[in-house]
Amino acid sequence: MTDLPDSEIRRRLTALAPSQLSDAMGRLNVVDSGIAPMWPSAGFVGRAVTAYVAPGDNKVLHELVPDLTEGDVVVVNGSGVTNRALLGGIIAERMQRHGAVAVVLDGAIRDALEFEEIGLPAYARAVSPAGPYRNGPGRLHEAVAIGNVVVHPGDWLVGDHDGIAVVPQGEIAEVLAGAEAKRESEEKQLSELRAGELD
């Protein structure tokens, strides 16, 4: 664990790219590229609130909404099912009003334009007009597998146009230091390249 306050962690993560964070974690902990931004958002930084749902069923996602707080990222293991959407515009806006800064689904969404209109980053495998069932079962606030990465409640996620890195909360201080060193190295190389000091 770390003594760093969430506000400082969030500020420092905002200045880093998922690629730099992954490099600091041995090039691991990147959500697979099949889970991609559904609109060209500005990216996000937040802590995971997790759900594991039955394929094509979003019953527990409705139950999750009141649990959300400012800065949360909704992370859903939907078993990679893409022929039935788990989230649409209305529940997305409810989640945002409760504090969600992004949704990340190993599954599909619908109403993709509405996510863009309200400014909520959405990462998923597909868009489908077919709506979800609402029967269950499902689980909340447990470790989930999404895009070949295990995400625990409270882990940090950082997303941009390239994809998503997951930083385990217990490793955040070490990963921040490594990623910031990587960023400084990249900036130095670019500066030297543009100054004609590197070929």
Side-chain angles (χ1 to χ4, degrees):
M1 299 301 288
T2 178
D3 293 329
L4 294 173
D6 280 8
S7 58
E8 180 180 347
I9 293 171
R10 195 178 303 276
R11 176 184 62 79
R12 291 169 66 181
L13 285 175
T14 299
L16 295 164
S19 57
Q20 293 161 341
L21 292 162
S22 177
D23 284 356
M25 295 184 286
R27 293 179 168 80
L28 300 175
N29 284 24
V30 171
V31 174
D32 93 53
S33 58
I35 298 176
M38 295 290 98
W39 60 277
S41 69
F44 69 88
V45 171
R47 299 193 79 156
V49 175
T50 59
Y52 182 18
V53 303
D57 191 294
N58 76 352
K59 180 178 184 291
V60 297
L61 297 184
H62 290 273
E63 298 169 4
L64 177 67
V65 172
D67 296 343
L68 296 172
T69 59
E70 189 62 37
D72 286 341
V73 177
V74 177
V75 179
V76 184
N77 180 347
S79 300
V81 171
T82 58
N83 64 350
R84 191 163 298 281
L86 292 172
L87 287 178
I90 293 174
I91 189 172
E93 188 156 350
R94 288 179 60 215
M95 288 177 168
Q96 186 184 50
R97 287 177 179 270
H98 280 261
V101 296
V103 295
V104 178
L105 292 86
D106 203 336
I109 66 166
R110 67 177 180 178
D111 307 326
L113 290 178
E114 294 181 29
F115 284 80
E116 183 172 6
E117 288 170 1
I118 66 172
L120 183 66
Y123 290 65
R125 290 201 181 275
V127 176
S128 172
Y133 299 109
R134 199 168 169 179
N135 304 316
R139 297 179 180 176
L140 297 175
H141 311 303
E142 298 181 3
V144 296
I146 177 169
N148 299 316
V149 178
V150 175
V151 182
H152 293 84
D155 285 350
W156 289 91
L157 282 80
V158 179
D160 67 8
H161 54 276
D162 282 345
I164 301 166
V166 179
V167 183
Q169 58 182 321
E171 302 174 18
I172 188 66
E174 177 185 355
V175 174
L176 277 171
E180 287 167 345
K182 175 68 174 178
R183 180 190 63 202
E184 291 172 9
S185 173
E186 290 175 343
E187 290 173 348
K188 183 175 184 291
Q189 290 180 63
L190 279 173
S191 177
E192 291 173 349
L193 179 64
R194 291 166 180 169
E197 298 170 8
L198 287 177
D199 289 331

